[in-house]
Amino acid sequence: MRKKSKKILVLCTGNSCRSQLAEGYLRHFAGDDAEIYSAGIETHGVNRKAIQVMAEDHIDISGNTSNHVDEYSGIDFDAVITVCDNASEACPFFAGKVDRFHRNFPDPAKLTGTPEEVMDEFRRVRELIKAYSADFISQYINK
């Protein structure tokens, strides 16, 4: 008998960068063992540089959309991961037994500098989120 796949929500402020990166990697590492969603307390659109750095790692998030957390009010999530302090503080209540996780990642979209410096920061944050996502799936889903 196939086990029920877990439903996981990644929550960020604007659902434009960090939560999009995490959604892409969690989906990649979980395969069919989890349903991954991402949302924001606000919606800012998917950041083009986030799409670009994920494509560099052969993960396509170009079809992702920026969604507001209220759009998922009818889904019974097993876990909610907040990837920034603002989202953690503003995270709405989810009914039922929902495991909550928090890891504050730097926001690469806030960095100013040369185009190369900005892309280097996107890549650095991508690697942090990739490692966290792999660990999360191995400990929470594949345990």
Side-chain angles (χ1 to χ4, degrees), residues 49-99:
K49 290 178 180 76
I51 294 169
Q52 181 182 340
V53 297
M54 291 299 280
E56 290 175 1
D57 201 21
H58 311 289
I59 296 180
D60 182 7
I61 63 168
S62 63
N64 286 17
T65 56
S66 182
N67 301 87
H68 192 276
V69 66
D70 291 346
E71 294 176 47
Y72 298 130
S73 62
I75 297 175
D76 291 326
F77 288 106
D78 296 289
V80 174
I81 304 169
T82 51
V83 292
C84 69
D85 288 342
N86 183 52
S88 180
E89 293 162 12
C91 187
F93 172 77
F94 290 92
K97 184 186 177 305
V98 179
D99 295 322

Side-chain angles (χ1 to χ4, degrees), residues 4 7 12 66 73 87 103 112 136-137:
K4 170 189 165 281
K7 292 181 176 74
C12 192
S66 182
S73 62
R103 175 72 59 91
T112 56
F136 181 87
I137 294 301

Side-chain angles (χ1 to χ4, degrees), residues 104-116:
N104 186 51
F105 292 101
D107 186 355
K110 294 211 183 306
L111 185 75
T112 56
T114 68
E116 294 81 19

